[in-house]
Amino acid sequence: MASLLQGRLPVNQDLLLMQKGTLMRKVRSKSWKKLRYFRLQDDGMTVWHARQAGGRAKPSFSISDVDTVREGHESELLRNLAEEFPLEQGFTIVFHGRRSNLDLVANSVEEAQIWMQGLQLLVDFVTSMDQQERLDQWLSDWFQHGDKNQDGRMTFGEVQRLLHLMNVEMDQDHAFQLFQRADASQSGTLEGEEFVEFYKSLTQRPEVQELFEKFSSDGQKLTLLEFVDFLQEEQKEGERASDLALELIDCYEPSDSGKLRHVLSMDGFLSYLYSKDGDIFNPTCLPIYQDMTQPLNQYYISSSHNTYLVGDQLCGQSSVEGYIRALKRGCRCVEVDVWDGPSGEPIVYHGHTLTSRIPFKDVVAAIGQYAFQTSDYPVILSLENHCSWEQQEIIARHLTEILGNQLLSTTLDGHLPTQLPSPEELRRKILVKGKKLKTLEEDLEEEEEEPESEPEEAELQLEAQMESEPQELSPRSKDKKKKSKPILCPSLSALVVYLKAVTFYSFTHSREHYRFYETSSFSEAKAKSLIKEAGNEFVLHNTWQLSRVYPSGLRTDSSNYNPQEFWNAGCQMVALNMQTAGLEMDLCDGLFRQNAGSGYVLKPDFLRDAQSSFHPERPISPFKAQTLLIQVISGQQLPKVDKTKEESIVDPLVRVEIFGVRPDTSRQETSYVENNGFNPYWGQTLCFRVLVPELALLRFVVKDYDWKSRNDFIGQYTLPWNCMQQGEPVLPPLARTPALAAFLILSPAPLSRLPPHTLALQGWHQPPSSLHLCAHLHPGRARGG
């Protein structure tokens, strides 16, 4: 089948050469380097590979999976092989989500340029595609997936196989009727538009049709007034509904005549429901909508632990890719563990373990390059310094020379501040958090630079200020570390301005001896204990000083704790192992999805009030409880859990979870729908009562029911309670990993809000799965307990 995007795809000599195919070397490690024949398919949207030209090919990736293409010198792996392969002949394909990068080496610089330029051209094209083009693209992908012999036609046998791949359990006679109806040419096969018609017959949504006909007088279209009624009654748009209706018709009605007459057809209505305007996430929360001029300690800050690791804490790989991925997902606090390295160059790795090592200067270069690609707001470099005096000087030099004007090395105005600066004031600045020899007051009082302290003097100055997060795995290594206490170099100390690391002893000690620009780190166990024993004191501590919480050293598998309980106490930097997917990272992504994904979220006012009486373990009035009614209506095109079993069909159920203060944390789920992952219908209502909605996160999870064992995860979507849009919203793509993701149409009141994203499932381009809900919020009186 010719691509439905044919005629709209860019015409380019590079693409024509890519469609002929190229033999390149695929590189996974220093020892794994194998020749593979890569070819851009005729649809222009997928790349397949084989062991050799003319060999049996299989899909490699879809263009929609690709985030960007990097030159060879930007790849750690290819740089390590520079003596074997010229960097100019190498390039890296970077994918969305957690999928590993693909490093390739062409036979010439010219071939490498052809693929780099051609792929980037296609990536830019996909990024600019409208909703219809995205739909056409994944239809073409599905056709190629089902067309087993790649002859451009689909027989009924191939269609039956495709139905199983698409999670459709259908009576064979009914499927054959739909096949014959779509086979307009009566050739016994489906091509091009015939396949599109077959797909449309599969995706009819009676529950959406019922909603449409509820407001349409003739069942064929919605007039302007009828659409306004829908927006007011179902989507709770209020007074802006009239102006909004005109905008939406102009944007989503496919026919020009419909736009001129200001009417919305069923196709236009569906396009609206599945667009970003129909998303459950309130669009007013997508851009920067919060006050960014408050002191830094008034915000939650997206934070990473052991950022350099892309695996476990014992033998995992250290890579600058960890920093790149964290920064590109909006992380604003990264951790760097620095140790003495060979040839006088500091290295970054997890000390006293078998994790690999990377040059500190490479880490700094990556941070400088990627710090502000996603967010302009400040990046905090949490420096864990284990180096000798001499290599600390190298650290200071690299930070100063590589980061240049990005590095904040003095107060903003040269005067002593009375509070921490705001994210707005610190735009595009990188701050160092670490140990410091002197107070900020002493630094500013010095009219000229003093001669460097002798090592013995510096050690005495630092004696009472030593702070370290446990890197060791045993008491013996801990004792050894105490005996070899590092000495702080003045040039490195001077780069710590607003974030001086100090040891925490007690809340009373902090109030009496510490200053607002000093910050303490807490292990997860210590922070949990403090919340339980002195929750309100912890809240008050976090109204004037920054706190960082980090995972236990016993989490050698790089697992995570639940960050919610620390956010409940107002802790700003709750550091997670961002390389590890799971519930904890789902919550982190959900919280920081708002405010343009800037990595900064303003804390609720009761966590910023210096007189606050809030206790995260015992929340009481004046909080106003709310009741949430969620009607889980239907879903569409949920992916398979096990792609290797073509005959298996999922039995999906939906679980809705609330995370917040302890009394609010709860979950409910629907019943499962047997053998239907393509268009399951639930029509069930769930009810939640929440005491402190300002701290609540909603997580929607789709699972495949299994009576013999634990239900299998299909996908999820998490968002803050305060960012939920009432009405008939659709959930955006459910996702945890690129291998398991889907669209869910869930509605917090009436029906529909689903954005036009497409997702990859185990490397395959997937149709826009969706889950439809209804959600309503009701005020409710808080009750005791």
Side-chain angles (χ1 to χ4, degrees):
M1 166 178 141
S3 170
L4 295 171
L5 295 175
Q6 293 276 320
R8 286 175 279 177
L9 281 169
V11 178
N12 181 277
Q13 186 64 29
D14 292 334
L15 301 185
L16 294 176
L17 292 172
M18 290 165 63
Q19 288 178 331
K20 290 182 179 180
T22 307
L23 191 65
M24 293 185 284
R25 199 170 297 274
K26 180 179 178 181
V27 183
R28 288 183 179 172
S29 66
K30 289 183 178 181
S31 59
W32 199 102
K33 302 164 291 220
K34 297 187 179 182
L35 288 171
R36 293 290 184 265
Y37 186 77
F38 288 87
R39 179 179 176 272
L40 176 67
Q41 298 298 289
D42 293 338
D43 66 352
M45 286 286 108
T46 51
V47 173
W48 287 46
H49 74 274
R51 292 183 180 272
Q52 58 190 13
R56 182 180 179 183
K58 58 182 180 180
S60 183
F61 60 88
S62 169
I63 298 299
S64 63
D65 299 336
V66 180
D67 178 37
T68 189
V69 183
R70 298 183 195 153
E71 295 181 352
H73 68 85
E74 296 183 78
S75 165
E76 277 181 279
L77 179 56
L78 295 182
R79 283 201 305 270
N80 291 332
L81 296 170
E83 294 183 1
E84 187 175 353
F85 304 115
L87 287 175
E88 295 79 11
Q89 292 176 210
F91 61 96
T92 302
I93 301 172
V94 182
F95 298 100
H96 295 294
R98 299 180 182 275
R99 180 174 175 177
S100 299
N101 296 346
L102 175 60
D103 287 300
L104 298 174
V105 179
N107 290 315
S108 68
V109 175
E110 291 73 23
E111 284 185 349
Q113 288 296 317
I114 287 170
W115 276 85
M116 282 191 288
Q117 294 169 8
L119 286 172
Q120 194 59 57
L121 180 68
L122 291 174
V123 169
D124 293 341
F125 173 72
V126 168
T127 303
S128 64
M129 284 195 308
D130 60 29
Q131 187 170 323
Q132 184 58 49
E133 289 172 326
R134 291 177 185 273
L135 177 63
D136 291 346
Q137 179 201 343
W138 68 253
L139 275 175
S140 295
D141 284 354
W142 269 117
F143 187 93
Q144 289 232 356
H145 193 45
D147 184 13
K148 199 166 186 178
N149 61 1
Q150 295 295 294
D151 64 353
R153 303 183 184 90
M154 289 189 68
T155 64
F156 181 64
E158 288 176 320
V159 165
Q160 285 183 296
R161 174 176 173 271
L162 180 63
L163 290 176
H164 281 285
L165 292 174
M166 297 175 78
N167 256 330
V168 180
E169 177 76 19
M170 183 177 290
D171 176 76
Q172 183 172 327
D173 292 338
H174 180 57
F176 189 62
Q177 288 178 3
L178 296 180
F179 179 88
Q180 288 183 312
R181 196 178 303 160
D183 182 17
S185 64
Q186 297 184 341
S187 63
T189 61
L190 299 183
E191 304 178 50
E193 291 300 324
E194 292 176 335
F195 177 71
V196 174
E197 289 304 313
F198 178 74
Y199 168 77
K200 285 183 177 179
S201 67
L202 290 176
T203 55
Q204 291 180 352
R205 307 285 299 271
E207 67 276 9
V208 178
Q209 183 70 38
E210 180 182 344
L211 178 68
F212 182 82
E213 293 176 354
K214 175 182 175 182
F215 290 89
S216 171
S217 57
D218 62 3
Q220 302 298 313
K221 65 183 181 302
L222 290 174
T223 66
L224 179 61
L225 290 178
E226 288 169 345
F227 190 38
V228 169
D229 288 343
F230 166 78
L231 292 175
Q232 288 179 331
E233 293 182 28
E234 299 294 325
Q235 306 298 68
K236 313 300 180 186
E237 294 294 357
E239 296 179 357
R240 63 187 291 260
S242 296
D243 293 335
L244 182 61
L246 285 170
E247 294 177 17
L248 295 175
I249 290 173
D250 188 59
C251 184
Y252 298 112
E253 173 53 40
S255 71
D256 292 334
S257 61
K259 291 179 180 179
L260 287 173
R261 293 184 294 131
H262 300 314
V263 298
L264 193 66
S265 63
M266 182 62 183
D267 285 343
F269 185 64
L270 282 170
S271 293
Y272 156 67
L273 292 182
Y274 294 156
S275 75
K276 61 179 175 21
D277 291 304
D279 194 326
I280 191 173
F281 198 97
N282 193 327
T284 62
C285 298
L286 288 174
I288 296 292
Y289 74 100
Q290 295 181 329
D291 179 6
M292 302 302 286
T293 64
Q294 298 298 311
L296 211 56
N297 55 287
Q298 305 288 40
Y299 297 85
Y300 295 123
I301 304 172
S302 179
S303 303
S304 166
H305 174 64
N306 289 354
T307 316
Y308 47 89
L309 288 178
V310 293
D312 65 59
Q313 310 279 314
L314 292 179
C315 305
Q317 179 188 359
S318 301
S319 171
V320 296
E321 196 63 39
Y323 292 93
I324 295 171
R325 292 186 176 185
L327 292 168
K328 290 189 73 172
R329 71 188 301 159
C331 176
R332 297 290 87 187
C333 178
V334 296
E335 184 177 24
V336 186
D337 284 330
V338 200
W339 300 78
D340 280 353
S343 305
E345 280 293 337
I347 55 173
V348 174
Y349 83 111
H350 196 40
H352 309 303
T353 68
L354 298 177
T355 56
S356 58
R357 307 169 183 207
I358 48 177
F360 174 74
K361 62 182 178 181
D362 289 357
V363 170
V364 179
I367 292 173
Q369 181 178 353
Y370 290 93
F372 305 111
Q373 285 196 6
T374 298
S375 169
D376 277 349
Y377 291 104
V379 168
I380 296 170
L381 197 160
S382 183
L383 193 65
E384 291 298 317
N385 169 26
H386 308 276
C387 291
S388 63
W389 179 287
E390 292 76 19
Q391 294 209 14
Q392 287 180 51
E393 291 183 321
I394 303 298
I395 292 174
R397 189 170 79 236
H398 285 331
L399 288 170
T400 304
E401 293 178 356
I402 296 174
L403 298 180
N405 292 333
Q406 290 180 315
L407 181 67
L408 186 80
S409 56
T410 185
T411 56
L412 291 175
D413 57 5
H415 297 97
L416 183 67
T418 57
Q419 61 182 17
L420 287 173
S422 69
E424 186 64 36
E425 292 173 308
L426 293 169
R427 269 179 177 268
R428 301 189 71 84
K429 287 295 182 183
I430 297 174
L431 289 68
V432 176
K433 179 181 91 66
K435 301 161 190 172
K436 188 175 179 65
L437 290 170
K438 303 174 183 178
T439 65
L440 189 56
E441 290 84 348
E442 290 170 333
D443 274 354
L444 294 173
E445 285 172 4
E446 292 181 350
E447 296 182 357
E448 58 185 25
E449 186 177 346
E450 295 181 355
E452 288 189 353
S453 305
E454 291 298 320
E456 294 81 3
E457 180 184 347
E459 185 174 359
L460 289 172
Q461 290 177 312
L462 187 60
E463 184 87 26
Q465 302 175 21
M466 292 300 297
E467 177 215 31
S468 64
E469 298 180 5
Q471 305 288 331
E472 65 286 332
L473 300 174
S474 69
R476 178 176 299 178
S477 59
K478 185 174 180 179
D479 294 338
K480 183 177 180 181
K481 186 175 179 182
K482 286 183 178 179
K483 292 177 183 177
S484 57
K485 188 184 300 179
I487 302 165
L488 189 59
C489 166
S491 60
L492 182 56
S493 170
L495 298 181
V496 177
V497 182
Y498 292 115
L499 300 171
K500 178 183 177 181
V502 294
T503 302
F504 177 82
Y505 296 103
S506 69
F507 294 123
T508 301
H509 179 272
S510 295
R511 285 195 304 271
E512 294 177 352
H513 297 92
Y514 290 157
R515 298 165 177 82
F516 64 87
Y517 58 80
E518 294 172 318
T519 176
S520 299
S521 291
F522 304 84
S523 68
E524 60 173 290
K526 179 66 174 177
K528 282 183 179 181
S529 174
L530 290 171
I531 291 172
K532 185 175 181 179
E533 296 170 4
N536 179 247
E537 283 192 84
F538 209 168
V539 168
L540 295 177
H541 175 84
N542 289 324
T543 64
W544 69 279
Q545 212 178 43
L546 282 166
S547 294
R548 182 176 183 270
V549 182
Y550 59 91
S552 165
L554 298 177
R555 294 184 180 273
T556 56
D557 58 351
S558 293
S559 60
N560 283 308
Y561 50 68
N562 185 338
Q564 184 70 53
E565 57 186 314
F566 306 115
W567 291 331
N568 291 345
C571 297
Q572 299 89 349
M573 297 179 286
V574 181
L576 297 174
N577 289 301
M578 289 192 166
Q579 74 271 30
T580 305
L583 163 65
E584 299 81 11
M585 277 308 302
D586 294 342
L587 297 180
C588 181
D589 291 340
L591 175 67
F592 291 103
R593 194 183 303 277
Q594 61 186 306
N595 217 31
S598 64
Y600 285 85
V601 171
L602 191 64
K603 295 193 294 185
D605 54 4
F606 56 84
L607 292 180
R608 295 183 280 124
D609 180 5
Q611 307 298 320
S612 177
S613 60
F614 179 75
H615 193 301
E617 293 290 295
R618 297 185 293 276
I620 55 174
S621 296
F623 304 104
K624 296 180 179 178
Q626 289 185 323
T627 299
L628 173 66
L629 296 177
I630 295 181
Q631 183 185 3
V632 183
I633 300 172
S634 61
Q636 190 170 22
Q637 295 156 198
L638 304 174
K640 283 178 177 290
V641 174
D642 187 352
K643 289 280 286 185
T644 63
K645 298 179 181 179
E646 290 189 5
E647 299 302 315
S648 67
I649 305 292
V650 300
D651 304 323
L653 61 85
V654 178
R655 175 187 294 168
V656 181
E657 302 171 339
I658 306 288
F659 293 88
V661 295
R662 196 178 303 276
D664 291 343
T665 301
S666 61
R667 63 174 61 174
Q668 296 180 41
E669 63 185 38
T670 67
S671 56
Y672 69 92
V673 177
E674 188 173 0
N675 284 340
N676 190 348
F678 192 74
N679 56 355
Y681 179 83
W682 293 279
Q684 294 178 245
T685 299
L686 309 177
C687 179
F688 297 90
R689 181 179 169 279
V690 175
L691 183 65
V692 189
E694 296 90 338
L695 291 174
L697 293 172
L698 275 76
R699 182 170 183 256
F700 300 93
V701 189
V702 180
K703 295 207 167 191
D704 179 17
Y705 173 76
D706 190 335
W707 66 273
K708 293 180 293 186
S709 61
R710 292 180 60 183
N711 296 336
D712 295 315
F713 174 86
I714 295 178
Q716 70 86 36
Y717 183 76
T718 304
L719 76 162
W721 178 286
N722 289 339
C723 295
M724 181 180 60
Q725 188 161 225
Q726 295 191 66
E728 291 283 342
V730 175
L731 279 186
L734 291 185
R736 169 175 292 170
T737 70
L740 289 174
F743 284 104
L744 270 186
I745 306 179
L746 299 160
S747 69
L751 177 79
S752 95
R753 300 193 182 274
L754 166 66
H757 305 322
T758 50
L759 299 172
L761 176 62
Q762 295 177 345
W764 291 99
H765 183 54
Q766 293 296 303
S769 317
S770 57
L771 186 60
H772 192 98
L773 323 176
C774 249
H776 290 289
L777 285 173
H778 302 279
R781 296 185 61 186
R783 293 178 294 192

